[in-house]
Structures are given as C-alpha cells and as structure tokens.
Amino acid sequence: MKSSIIAFFCLLTVLSFDIIAQKKPSKIGEIAAQLDYAFDEIAKVKAINPKAVSPRSTKGDTLLMVPSKDWTSGFFAGDLWYMYELTKDEKWLVKAKEFTAPLEREKTNGTTHDMGFKMYCSFGNGYRLTKDPKYRDILLEAARTLTTRFNPTIGCIKSWDHHNDVWPFPVIIDNMMNLELLFWAFKETKDSLFYKVAISHANTTMKNHFRADYSSYHVIGYDVKTGKAIQKNTHQGYNDASAWARGQSWGLYSYAMCFRETGDAKYLNQAENIAQFILKHPNLPEDLVPYWDYNAPTIPNTPRDVSAASIMASAFYELSTQVPAKAKFYKQTADKLMESLSAKYRAGLKTNKGFLLTSSTGNLPANSEINVPMVYADYYYLEALLRKRNLKKQ
Ligand code: GLY
C-alpha cells in the first residue's frame, strides 16, 4: 500500500513537470517548432515553383520564396546550420544540406557582390560544421568569382551591375559583409589575393563611406578612371545625408569581423565608433530596435527594422569578446537587444509563414517589404543566440 502511494506521487510529480514543460517549451524548442511549420509552408510554394529555393519574406498572406540568385538565398540554409549547431540534432543537418545544395550554381555568378551572403552563410557554415571537402571547393570558387569584381584603381569590389546609369561603379555599405568569405579563403589557401582585396575594400570603404560622426552613406559612386569617390547617396535610406538603419548595422558588424580576421586595431576602433553613433543616437528607441532610418522624419510613427537590431545583437556579442574593458557593457547591450527581439518581435507559433521575427523593413522608399518578416533578421538572431550561448560556456 505504502509503495503504491509513493509510486502515485512519483507519477504525479513526473506529470506535473511534463505539464510545466509543455506550457513553457524552451526557446530552441519553440524555434524548432516554428521552423517545422516553415517547412510545410515552403513545400507548398515549391510544389508550384520548383526554382524557389529559399524563403525570403511575406507579401500579405503569401510566402515569398526566391531562386538561388537572390541576395537572400543563403540565409535560410544558414538558419538550419545554426539549428544543427545549437541542438546537435541530425534532423537539422539533413535539412541544412537539403537547403544548401541548390545554391551551388551561384559559385560562378560574377554579376553580383552578394556572394558572401549567399555562399558563406550557407556553405560557409556547412563547411565549418562538417568539413565536407566539396563545400570547401564550392566556397573557394565562390571567393575567386567575387574577386573578379574588384577594381584596383578604385580599391573596391563593385556592388551592383544594375543602376549603372546612375552609378557607373556603385559600392554599398552592405558589401563589407562579403569580405568574410575572402578572409576565409585566404586562411584556407594562403593566396594573398583574397586578403589584399578584402583589406583594400575595407580601407577604401572606411575612407569614403563614413561621415565625421561615423554614420555611413549607403551608396558611394566611384569614377572608374580616377578611382575617386564622386557620388554619396542612398538607395534604401531616407535621403543621401541620412543614416539608413540596416546600413549602420552592416558597418558595425563588418568592422568587428575585420578586426577578428586581421587583428588590426583600426577596424576595432571603427566598429566602436559606429557603436557609439548608434547607441547615442537620440532616435534610437528605449528597446534598442531602430526605426528603418535614424533620420526618418516621422519617427516615432514609422516602421522599425528588426533586421537592423538582430545584426546589431550579433555584432555586440562579438565586440564583447574583443574589448575586455567594455565586455560587460557590450554583452549587456546585446542581451537587451535579444530580450527586446524575443519579447516583442517573435512571431507566434504557426504564424508569420514560419519566420521567427516580425517587423523588418527592406526598402521603404521603394514601398517594398515594409514591416514584414525578413529571412536575414532570423539568421542574425539565431547567430546571436549561438554567440550568447558560447559566451556562457566560457
Ligand atoms: N543588402 C541589401 C539590404 O540590406 O537590403
């Protein structure tokens, strides 16, 4: 009798723990469930359009999928590699490989600067986690293709082949993010071309893209004959003189990355100055999630850009490892960003077409992708979660 009472209470305890666990699944468990839902939604679009390889955003009630050539095609595969890294569950490995494979054809696509976004987030994470030599070959070919867009007179990789009537040689701040692929290729091969191109691009961008307050222009137009910066404009920001929010985040993240890859203090200095610009800006909201442009005239009645915040979160975790004297401050800043994103901008399960975050802004002046989920916001959110977890382990 006594033993059956004990057994009954044991069962009750197990059941109540189970109920609590069901009520409050772990953050990673919630993300996994949402991505499972994303797979269902993706399958529906792929059934109609097999060339659609990756989810990008939503339009009304429709999931927007893109072909491999789109600049965002590598982020979803990257999400899945991060899930594999976070959980060690083979299920994510299988899925990550499945969504990475169709991007291979981009390795020879020399018509864009977005090679790093497409290939390093997908194959780059895949190679880091699996050491599959096929991934290495693909990445090296992609890096070689990217260097073909480098102009030695200017000292930069050309960003777009479109809009050449406006900018004969445009370089956008976003382009800095692609340098990580080149730094990786240099480490793998010791071919100094990769390093020289990356350094030259980072230095030329530092010289021409930044204003005295360390905010950055979005687009710099170069003269191909003289190599001089002749146009200072925006494409996705409020105006030429404004600070487009995602652009500031690309700058912050990429100069911290350049410091990691080179050890050159001038890049760390640049990243810290950009951080100051962002964090001291009077228009940065209390929750640290910026409006789409720091100078948008209708602040606070204008959309946020959650992607700018998730890129920042990941960058601040990196900075916390790079500046011992300010490690606590940068980590607290990243934690605050993650708390805001998780509390206010995480989509409910089986909503948002499977994206994790809401409320990013792609290109407001073009009336495109305003206040919507964007796959790259999710990618940097997962990367930040991983960086946060790795910091805890130390
Ligand atoms: N690289 C394009 C964007 O940030 O919108």
Side-chain angles (χ1 to χ4, degrees):
M1 179 64 188
K2 207 172 171 189
S3 61
S4 59
I5 291 174
I6 291 170
F8 173 74
F9 277 108
C10 283
L11 184 68
L12 209 63
T13 312
V14 169
L15 280 176
S16 51
F17 272 128
D18 201 39
I19 289 165
I20 291 166
Q22 278 176 18
K23 263 193 188 154
K24 199 174 179 333
S26 71
K27 191 178 264 180
I28 298 298
E30 286 174 354
I31 291 171
Q34 180 73 341
L35 288 173
D36 282 340
Y37 167 63
F39 293 139
D40 296 341
E41 293 296 315
I42 288 166
K44 286 186 214 160
V45 178
K46 274 190 163 177
I48 305 162
N49 179 6
K51 278 202 174 146
V53 301
S54 177
R56 171 176 165 134
S57 183
T58 60
K59 193 166 192 179
D61 198 31
T62 308
L63 172 64
L64 263 185
M65 298 268 299
V66 289
S68 65
K69 69 177 182 190
D70 189 88
W71 81 273
T72 65
S73 66
F75 292 113
F76 189 70
D79 289 355
L80 305 176
W81 286 114
Y82 283 146
M83 283 303 283
Y84 175 51
E85 195 168 3
L86 282 160
T87 63
K88 298 283 177 276
D89 182 340
E90 297 271 315
K91 163 192 163 169
W92 300 107
L93 174 66
V94 172
K95 281 293 184 188
K97 285 182 179 174
E98 179 191 321
F99 279 86
T100 297
L103 309 179
E104 178 176 350
R105 65 206 305 262
E106 295 307 311
K107 68 187 178 186
T108 53
N109 180 359
T111 66
T112 162
H113 71 141
D114 290 316
M115 196 64 100
F117 284 126
K118 289 191 277 190
M119 305 302 271
Y120 201 66
C121 299
S122 54
F123 287 100
N125 280 310
Y127 182 65
R128 188 172 58 79
L129 294 170
T130 66
K131 295 289 175 251
D132 181 340
K134 188 165 178 264
Y135 286 0
R136 182 180 183 274
D137 292 346
I138 291 166
L139 283 163
L140 287 177
E141 188 155 5
R144 269 182 232 111
T145 303
L146 181 58
T147 62
T148 64
R149 297 184 66 77
F150 181 72
N151 180 314
T153 310
I154 291 163
C156 277
I157 295 162
K158 187 180 182 188
S159 286
W160 301 324
D161 288 350
H162 56 82
H163 288 95
N164 279 184
D165 51 331
V166 187
W167 299 286
F169 193 103
V171 178
I172 62 174
I173 187 68
D174 328 24
N175 197 342
M176 283 291 303
M177 299 292 285
N178 296 300
L179 305 184
E180 198 168 1
L181 171 66
L182 300 181
F183 285 124
W184 171 85
F186 169 67
K187 284 185 292 194
E188 283 294 313
T189 61
K190 300 287 173 276
D191 180 343
S192 63
L193 174 74
F194 295 123
Y195 195 81
K196 283 181 188 153
V197 168
I199 292 293
S200 171
H201 187 97
N203 293 347
T204 310
T205 299
M206 210 155 96
K207 185 168 146 222
N208 295 322
H209 257 86
F210 288 87
R211 309 181 182 108
D213 62 2
Y214 293 95
S215 67
S216 54
Y217 295 97
H218 185 196
V219 192
I220 297 294
Y222 287 92
D223 183 324
V224 276
K225 283 207 184 87
T226 64
K228 288 215 165 84
I230 49 171
Q231 295 154 295
K232 301 200 168 195
N233 304 119
T234 196
H235 182 56
Q236 283 155 260
Y238 168 60
N239 67 20
D240 290 347
S242 76
W244 173 52
R246 196 161 52 257
Q248 312 315 303
S249 296
W250 292 140
L252 173 75
Y253 184 110
S254 58
Y255 279 100
M257 177 272 292
C258 285
F259 174 65
R260 183 215 314 146
E261 296 300 332
T262 64
D264 188 333
K266 72 170 178 281
Y267 299 134
L268 180 61
N269 192 39
Q270 186 75 3
E272 288 209 84
N273 281 323
I274 299 168
Q276 288 260 343
F277 170 81
I278 291 173
L279 295 175
K280 295 213 160 135
H281 201 287
N283 287 338
L284 182 68
E286 180 58 31
D287 67 4
L288 307 185
V289 176
Y291 297 96
W292 66 280
D293 190 304
Y294 289 89
N295 304 104
T298 48
I299 286 174
N301 301 313
T302 198
R304 305 285 185 107
D305 180 12
V306 156
S307 73
S310 66
I311 297 161
M312 264 156 68
S314 189
F316 279 121
Y317 282 125
E318 169 128 68
L319 270 179
S320 78
T321 67
Q322 295 176 326
V323 192
K326 288 194 226 153
K328 198 169 163 207
F329 169 71
Y330 286 135
K331 179 165 182 311
Q332 279 172 349
T333 305
D335 285 345
K336 183 163 179 191
L337 274 156
M338 291 304 277
E339 274 156 31
S340 298
L341 292 174
S342 299
K344 293 167 69 178
Y345 298 97
R346 273 287 303 280
L349 181 61
K350 297 198 175 188
T351 65
N352 213 33
K353 294 287 169 191
F355 292 101
L356 306 177
L357 297 172
T358 64
S359 314
S360 289
T361 297
N363 187 347
L364 189 136
N367 202 21
S368 169
E369 298 181 324
I370 301 168
N371 208 14
V372 289
M374 296 292 329
V375 66
Y376 42 90
D378 290 3
Y379 174 85
Y380 291 100
Y381 176 73
L382 284 176
E383 184 180 84
L385 268 185
L386 195 62
R387 287 181 172 182
K388 182 179 167 73
R389 195 194 66 171
N390 291 345
L391 281 176
K392 266 198 198 143
K393 277 189 187 165
Q394 282 171 11

